[in-house]
Amino acid sequence: MDIRIDNQSFEKMKLYLIEQFKEKHQTIKFNHKIYRFLIKKLRRQLYRQQIAKERDEKLHLEEIQRQNDPLYQAWIIHKENIRIQKEIEEEEENKKARKLREQREQMEIQRKEQLRKEMEEKQKELSLLTITVSTHNPFAPIQVTVAPSIERPVCSFYLKTGVCRYNERCHRTHNKPDITNTLLAVNMYSNFEMQYGLDDEYDFDIGLEFEDSERYENFKDFYYDVLPEFERFGRIIMFKVCSNSEIHLRGNVYVQYETDYQAMQAYKALNTRYYAGRMVQCQFVNIPSWSAAICGKHKNC
Ligand SMILES: [Zn+2]
Ligand SMILES: [Zn+2]
């Protein structure tokens, strides 16, 4: 045991220990054996303290050496730089996320506002149209159309096609709908034969080479000319053109939209406008079945 402690201090500590022991164990008679035990205990204690002190000093020395090592310093700086860089990046990420969230919220608000405006606009247009519809004549008030149907039978031709050869003179009831998703542009389509009433001479069933004929080309021109006009107001479900020779069906264009609103928009924009030198007259019709509206007697009707 190498204990670097001067004898004077050792003596002091030894006396203190003996004193303590005697106080604690007053009934035990102090003897040489106890004395030796205490000395041993003191030496062990001092030895442990010495070891601990040396270890601490060694660690301290190592730490100092490390601090002075340029490699270690470089590593510390590098680590610090990484930490700072990470902090900056995290801050940046947070900023981006915050901005994105704000943008999304802003967009959501705008979208709602837009929707609200559109609804308002729609309401306005709806009421506007109701006024035009009720002040102008083409749509009879409901009471007038409903009442006669009780007494008079319904005109099946009108029911199927929205038109009737007898028009207002028909003895049967024509139930005129208010607003529907289907628009009828009366006699909008015309070609040479139709224009000069020559189509009676044609039998469509015999017109085998219809697709190559001028008539077909004429119809194609009309189709590609007019369809986009109608498509401006919404998706079209059904687009039909009558080439019948019957005067009330002749050149009728039926356009069925997805919604009443789209049909209304088309009505407002196209009714009484001129196409190919003739005024376009539109009306809302209710076609319960397209297959029933087609007579089926002709090849291309
Ligand atoms: Zn009729
Ligand atoms: Zn037909």
Side-chain angles (χ1 to χ4, degrees), residues 204 243-246 249 293-301:
F204 277 50
S243 52
N244 298 52
S245 55
E246 303 262 20
L249 287 171
I294 299 161
C295 76
K297 281 184 227 152
H298 309 94
K299 192 184 170 201
N300 295 299
C301 68

Side-chain angles (χ1 to χ4, degrees), residues 183 185 188 221-236 239 253 255 257 262-271 273-276 280 282:
L183 216 56
M188 191 180 183
D221 286 347
F222 174 80
Y223 183 82
Y224 289 117
D225 195 26
V226 161
L227 189 65
E229 278 295 306
F230 283 105
E231 273 178 333
R232 275 168 43 212
F233 308 99
R235 205 171 80 81
I236 290 168
F239 185 84
V253 177
V255 186
Y257 287 98
Q262 292 164 348
M264 258 177 343
Q265 296 293 93
Y267 178 89
K268 270 168 52 188
L270 301 175
N271 189 39
R273 248 186 51 187
Y274 278 80
Y275 178 78
V280 178
C282 294

Side-chain angles (χ1 to χ4, degrees), residues 155-158 163-167 170-174:
C155 172
S156 66
F157 200 83
Y158 186 90
V163 288
C164 166
R165 74 178 71 206
Y166 302 116
N167 215 347
C170 184
H171 294 303
R172 292 168 187 263
T173 302
H174 294 174

